[in-house]
Amino acid sequence: AQSVTQLGSHVSVSEGALVLLRCNYSSSVPPYLFWYVQYPNQGLQLLLKYTTGATLVKGINGFEAEFKKSETSFHLTKPSAHMSDAAEYFCAVSDSFSGGYNKLIFGAGTRLAVHP
Amino acid sequence: NAGVTQTPKFRVLKTGQSMTLLCAQDMNHEYMYWYRQDPGMGLRLIHYSVGEGTTAKGEVPDGYNVSRLKKQNFLLGLESAAPSQTSVYFCASSYDRLLAETYEQYFGPGTRLTVT
């Protein structure tokens, strides 16, 4: 069965500092990988996704992630944190991909705090 | 487009009461999903549907029933609510057959349910 591990349930950075949120997955087949962001009292919004092709994926709000097959990782980064980045971030891997249906397996989430 | 909408936003139930959560999407998506979100556990799939009139069990289906009588609507029912069902419930949809888009799931804003 596929699984997702997000290292660190809480991460705190200073405004302007590098953001690094870690995600490792287990999968027996080439995975489709996603990062979602959840702002307080809102639903989940897609930040970026890896399906095929280039392993460095750029998303919205200056975030990017790199798929490293050898390390089974898909870490999320942003060079300079902004106060508005404070949110909860979820990594997800697709479990099955038949006819377009993708059942997502989510990590437990990482809450990012940004301090002035 | 409104995207994915959920009704109600908040609800308090007493143990043993029943209720139905409504999810609607206006993106002509084939697939719809119900998740629950609990602290430290990410999102877990309750039930899903790959088309009108079809439903299937997800990871945590016990105590819930679903129906998809119309393509745009996906209902989640609790026949006899229990305190363990206190959670935030998210509906999602994916896959426009005409666009053949790349399987992103779009989420609703959530329903916060408390069972006392």
Side-chain angles (χ1 to χ4, degrees):
Chain A
Q2 299 195 339
S3 65
V4 176
T5 301
Q6 291 185 239
L7 295 177
S9 58
H10 291 81
V11 170
S12 181
V13 301
S14 299
E15 192 173 19
L18 171 72
V19 175
L20 171 60
L21 304 182
R22 299 178 187 272
C23 173
N24 288 89
Y25 67 91
S26 67
S27 174
S28 59
V29 297
Y32 285 46
L33 295 159
F34 306 80
W35 274 101
Y36 282 85
V37 60
Q38 185 181 29
Y39 298 103
N41 299 314
Q42 294 186 27
L44 277 71
Q45 177 184 1
L46 184 71
L47 267 181
L48 49 79
K49 61 188 174 189
Y50 168 78
T51 54
T52 58
T55 57
L56 182 62
V57 180
K58 294 187 184 299
I60 62 172
N61 301 337
F63 284 93
E64 62 182 35
E66 186 171 11
F67 169 56
K68 292 188 176 181
K69 184 178 179 180
S70 62
E71 299 178 7
T72 61
S73 68
F74 191 56
H75 301 331
L76 182 70
T77 61
K78 181 174 181 178
S80 177
H82 192 272
M83 297 295 287
S84 61
D85 294 326
E88 189 154 22
Y89 293 80
F90 293 94
C91 182
V93 62
S94 66
D95 182 64
S96 57
F97 230 91
S98 173
Y101 159 58
N102 62 317
K103 188 166 67 175
L104 292 180
I105 307 299
F106 284 87
T110 297
R111 188 169 297 277
L112 176 67
V114 182
H115 300 287
Chain B
N1 286 351
V4 179
T5 57
Q6 293 182 231
T7 309
K9 289 185 169 51
F10 303 93
R11 186 73 186 267
V12 179
L13 287 180
K14 294 186 177 179
T15 298
Q17 287 184 320
S18 63
M19 77 165 294
T20 300
L21 281 67
L22 171 63
C23 175
Q25 53 96 1
D26 62 1
M27 295 175 283
N28 199 37
H29 283 166
E30 301 296 323
Y31 308 134
M32 297 186 74
Y33 317 81
W34 275 108
Y35 294 90
R36 60 177 290 172
Q37 183 182 30
D38 302 293
M41 302 188 74
L43 275 75
R44 292 180 292 168
L45 184 66
I46 304 172
H47 286 281
Y48 62 95
S49 168
V50 297
E52 183 177 320
T54 69
T55 63
K57 294 180 180 180
E59 183 185 358
V60 288
D62 294 342
Y64 305 95
N65 57 75
V66 288
S67 64
R68 185 131 179 242
L69 300 180
K70 294 183 178 181
K71 183 177 181 179
Q72 63 268 34
N73 294 338
F74 195 29
L75 278 62
L76 177 71
L78 287 72
E79 290 186 348
S80 180
S84 61
Q85 294 178 304
T86 293
S87 187
V88 181
Y89 292 86
F90 287 100
C91 177
S93 69
S94 69
Y95 191 53
D96 183 327
R97 205 179 284 277
L98 292 179
L99 294 179
E101 60 98 6
T102 52
Y103 317 126
E104 171 186 348
Q105 288 190 19
Y106 294 78
F107 284 81
T111 295
R112 188 173 297 274
L113 175 66
T114 302
V115 183
T116 62

